[in-house]
Amino acid sequence: MSLHLDAEALYTELLAGVRGLIVPDVVLVGVWSGGAWLAERLQRDLGLATPHGVISSTMHRDDFGSRGLGSTTDATNLPFSVDGRPIVLIDDVLYTGRTIRAVINELFDFGRPASVQLAVLVDRGGRQLPIQPAFAAARLTLPATQQLALDRDDAGRFRFTVQETR
């Protein structure tokens, strides 16, 4: 199966969708790593005064025992108070919902937000938990043997790759 997704065109859709989720005092929080790249660009393109945050799912993953910490640099960085703030979580690809569940647990370790909404570039279905995005730029179905990955080039432009997994 050959799949071509224009990640830049989908980013334009995501920008419009997230614009509709903006309320006073909102902050964007990107899920490491693709969601963090998206949140960085969205924060700039939307002209939001508060810097975006980056959140990691590592410490709350349900497969932490088998994966461990690894040698990644995906540390959570929230340069604002979470308490009472509306949060828009940004991610590149939503699949089973397990990463988002872990991210929400991590978020609540930092305080109690007023609300949490999720916006994603691609919703690929296959949910294992009752998690749905408030906005998805695209919805598609991929076989479980394929992984959709967001990449960013040196100029900051996005592109997708489809990888076979086993």
Side-chain angles (χ1 to χ4, degrees):
M1 173 177 134
S2 177
L3 175 69
H4 175 75
L5 288 174
D6 184 338
E8 283 296 318
L10 290 177
Y11 173 79
T12 301
E13 294 294 319
L14 181 65
L15 177 62
V18 170
R19 186 172 277 121
L21 301 176
I22 300 300
V23 296
D25 210 28
V26 71
V27 290
L28 303 182
V29 176
V31 178
W32 180 262
S33 65
W37 299 335
L38 291 165
E40 176 183 14
R41 191 159 150 194
L42 285 165
Q43 191 273 335
R44 184 182 66 239
D45 291 348
L46 291 167
L48 299 176
T50 303
H52 73 285
V54 175
I55 196 159
S56 169
S57 64
T58 301
M59 297 305 291
H60 292 281
R61 292 186 62 90
D62 56 12
D63 59 356
F64 180 79
S66 62
R67 289 176 56 132
L69 278 175
S71 60
T72 62
T73 59
D74 59 344
T76 294
N77 177 22
L78 302 173
F80 44 78
S81 174
V82 168
D83 284 319
R85 299 291 288 269
I87 307 283
V88 177
L89 285 176
I90 308 292
D91 205 2
D92 52 355
V93 179
L94 176 60
Y95 183 28
T96 64
R98 292 179 180 276
T99 297
I100 298 302
R101 192 249 351 127
V103 160
I104 290 171
N105 284 3
E106 174 81 356
L107 185 63
F108 275 79
D109 283 351
F110 287 83
R112 187 170 188 240
S115 63
V116 179
Q117 295 190 78
L118 174 63
V120 299
L121 206 54
V122 174
D123 179 351
R124 64 167 285 178
R127 216 75 74 242
Q128 296 173 352
L129 297 173
I131 292 174
Q132 297 300 322
F135 182 83
R139 296 178 192 278
L140 59 95
T141 302
L142 288 175
T145 58
Q146 291 184 333
Q147 180 179 355
L148 187 61
L150 184 69
D151 291 317
R152 180 174 69 167
D153 67 19
D154 292 339
R157 293 184 52 81
F158 299 121
R159 69 180 174 277
F160 277 113
T161 58
V162 178
Q163 303 162 342
E164 290 293 325
T165 61
R166 290 288 161 202

